[in-house]
Amino acid sequence: MRRIHIVLIVAGMMLASSCYTPRTAGNSGKVPPGQMKKAAGTKSAKPFAPGQQKKN
């Protein structure tokens, strides 16, 4: 009987630990226009803003 309890506890721990999914930020990998402006060394963030880009 004790062995069954140990097996159930170990199985429960394995199931609980396998359900973890890492959560990332909503815009993972996207850089805000202001930060991109700094990286590019330009004076305006307008070309980097998604609403200001011209559609082709």
Side-chain angles (χ1 to χ4, degrees):
M1 189 66 148
R2 182 178 169 114
R3 187 175 183 140
I4 293 174
H5 288 293
I6 293 173
V7 169
L8 288 175
I9 290 172
V10 169
M13 287 173 47
M14 288 175 64
L15 285 172
S17 66
S18 66
C19 294
Y20 175 73
T21 55
R23 298 200 58 153
T24 58
N27 292 332
S28 181
K30 296 183 180 176
V31 181
Q35 297 297 319
M36 192 59 150
K37 172 190 74 99
K38 286 181 186 177
T42 61
K43 291 189 177 197
S44 174
K46 190 174 179 179
F48 305 105
Q52 300 295 324
Q53 294 178 358
K54 200 166 206 160
K55 294 184 179 182
N56 294 332

